[in-house]
Amino acid sequence: MPSSRNQMSLISITIFLLLLSSTLSAEKCHPDDKKTLFKIKKAFNNAYIFASWTNDTDCCQWYMVKCDRVTHRIYSLTVDKDDKVSGPIPDAVGDLPYLEILRFIRLPKVIGPIPHAISKLKNLTNLWLSHNNLTGPIPDFFSQLPKLTWIDLSVNKLTGPIPPSLSSLHKLNLLILERNQLQGPIPESFGEFKNIPNFYLRLAKNQLSGPIPRSLGAISFMGIDFSRNMFTGDASVIFGKNKEGLLWIDISRNKFSFDFTKVRFPKSLSNLLMSHNQIYGSLPPALGKLPMLQFFNVSYNRLCGNIPTGGQLQQFDQYSYAHNKCLCGSPLPPC
Ligand SMILES: *[C@@H]1O[C@H](CO)[C@@H](O)[C@H](O)[C@H]1NC(C)=O
Ligand SMILES: *[C@@H]1O[C@H](CO)[C@@H](O)[C@H](O)[C@H]1NC(C)=O
Ligand SMILES: *[C@@H]1O[C@H](CO)[C@@H](O)[C@H](O)[C@H]1NC(C)=O
Ligand SMILES: *[C@@H]1O[C@H](CO)[C@@H](O)[C@H](O)[C@H]1NC(C)=O
């Protein structure tokens, strides 16, 4: 009896050690992924940030890389904040077929256009290419990547229009294009984002123009930043009592011109910034009933009449109301 029990435990220890050694020694990383990562490293001149990417190590353990636990294929690649990484984004990034998250961010010497090879990444959900020095257009081929939910291309030198085809991305939830040199209007087709909850759209600091398409009135926005562009006309479609979940609106420094008197607001609104436009009419009394309002600026417009009392409106200083046609009442002088 005792000897057979010893035998059993010996066998299980042996099996355990065998398993342990196989997990320690086996290369988990897929050889195709490893080859591709070496191409990326080389294209970026073997910059020091890639120092851990060596041939004698498992690429699933490399810095900036994440492998799936089951398939051991690379699903995430993040290269962040480095000024030695230089040159265009290499076509090799298109050869990581399981990639879901691609982040090349804060790389001031990464230049050139967004490569077409990215259109091969059919599993991509997050594309972050912000704070680089990218040029050229926002590619049309993003519309062929149906899983995309987040796109951030902010702070680059991208030019040209916003492609209307982006609206075919039925999972897109966050689109940040601010601080580029984009021109033209917001596509009418963006109304197709209407079934997406909490849509977040930031287009600030471009050279965008034209009116806000009426179709945007159907979108459930969480946040909108259209500031510092050249938009014109009526922006009232983005407001409304029924826009529950809308937290902030920034339409400052454009050429919007519409009657503010009839505009209504959701209770959720916490930021309302609209200085430097040509907005006229009066401040609706409903503004004084917004419990969450924290940031507010209507200066440099053509508003007139009494500042409604109650709520938060008297807590903002006079500079939030300055330079209008004839606003009056606290915090401005009495009417
Ligand atoms: C990695 O090792 C393989 C096999 O030893 C070799 O064929 C390949 O050229 C090496 N790659 C690099 C980048 O050193
Ligand atoms: C995407 O992922 C699926 C399953 O995770 C996989 O079968 C497929 O090969 C991947 N790549 C492409 C390009 O579809
Ligand atoms: C971007 O590239 C331009 C030249 O194309 C260069 O002058 C500029 O300094 C670069 N920006 C950064 C942040 O490095
Ligand atoms: C409101 O905007 C004006 C104009 O840009 C600015 O001068 C003022 O400081 C702002 N007020 C607040 C409270 O931020």
Side-chain angles (χ1 to χ4, degrees), residues 14-289:
T14 313
I15 290 173
F16 173 75
L17 286 176
L18 275 172
L19 279 174
L20 186 70
S21 73
S22 75
T23 51
L24 285 178
S25 67
E27 166 103 272
K28 285 184 176 157
C29 171
H30 196 282
D32 291 351
D33 288 349
K34 193 169 195 175
K35 221 160 105 188
T36 299
L37 291 174
F38 274 131
K39 282 189 194 158
I40 294 170
K41 175 178 176 174
K42 190 169 170 220
F44 285 138
N45 299 311
N46 302 311
Y48 183 73
I49 199 168
F50 301 104
S52 74
W53 294 17
T54 59
N55 215 351
D56 54 349
T57 53
D58 178 358
C59 77
C60 287
Q61 308 294 329
W62 288 356
Y63 180 50
M64 308 183 291
V65 168
K66 288 199 177 99
C67 284
D68 183 84
R69 280 162 165 268
V70 178
T71 62
H72 305 303
R73 298 300 300 250
I74 287 168
Y75 75 88
S76 171
L77 171 61
T78 299
V79 183
D80 182 7
K81 207 175 183 184
D82 190 279
D83 61 5
K84 300 290 187 293
V85 176
S86 65
I89 296 175
D91 285 344
V93 294
D95 300 326
L96 295 168
Y98 288 75
L99 205 63
E100 294 170 20
I101 299 167
L102 178 60
R103 295 194 199 106
F104 286 156
I105 48 183
R106 295 186 283 185
L107 307 169
K109 299 208 172 99
V110 167
I111 56 169
I114 299 170
H116 195 268
I118 287 180
S119 68
K120 292 194 275 179
L121 300 173
K122 300 296 182 203
N123 284 320
L124 207 60
T125 60
N126 290 16
L127 180 62
W128 295 17
L129 301 175
S130 64
H131 294 262
N132 301 312
N133 221 334
L134 300 173
T135 52
I138 297 177
D140 228 11
F141 64 71
F142 285 163
S143 62
Q144 299 160 28
L145 303 173
K147 294 185 183 174
L148 274 174
T149 54
W150 287 11
I151 299 177
D152 182 354
L153 308 177
S154 60
V155 199
N156 279 290
K157 293 183 178 133
L158 300 172
T159 50
I162 301 175
S165 61
L166 286 180
S167 67
S168 63
L169 295 171
H170 294 305
K171 293 191 170 165
L172 194 67
N173 176 243
L174 175 140
L175 181 60
I176 306 183
L177 304 176
E178 69 189 24
R179 293 172 69 185
N180 279 288
Q181 295 156 18
L182 302 173
Q183 291 183 327
I186 298 176
E188 181 78 42
S189 64
F190 272 26
E192 290 168 37
F193 290 126
K194 63 177 181 285
N195 296 321
I196 292 170
N198 303 320
F199 197 76
Y200 191 88
L201 182 59
R202 283 167 51 178
L203 306 175
K205 294 192 188 172
N206 280 287
Q207 294 145 31
L208 297 165
S209 58
I212 303 299
R214 306 295 301 173
S215 61
L216 259 57
I219 302 179
S220 306
F221 283 110
M222 182 176 84
I224 295 172
D225 189 351
F226 293 165
S227 64
R228 293 173 192 260
N229 280 286
M230 299 180 299
F231 291 120
T232 51
D234 187 353
S236 63
V237 290
I238 59 177
F239 295 90
K241 225 181 156 86
N242 58 344
K243 300 276 163 58
E244 261 326 310
L246 180 57
L247 300 181
W248 51 267
I249 293 180
D250 189 348
I251 56 170
S252 311
R253 293 180 190 265
N254 279 283
K255 294 174 182 160
F256 287 119
S257 173
F258 59 98
D259 185 355
F260 202 52
T261 315
K262 289 166 289 182
V263 168
R264 295 295 173 265
F265 315 91
K267 285 267 182 279
S268 52
L269 198 64
S270 78
N271 289 20
L272 177 56
L273 305 173
M274 48 184 240
S275 67
H276 290 274
N277 281 287
Q278 293 149 31
I279 300 167
Y280 55 89
S282 58
L283 294 178
L287 265 183
K289 301 193 177 95

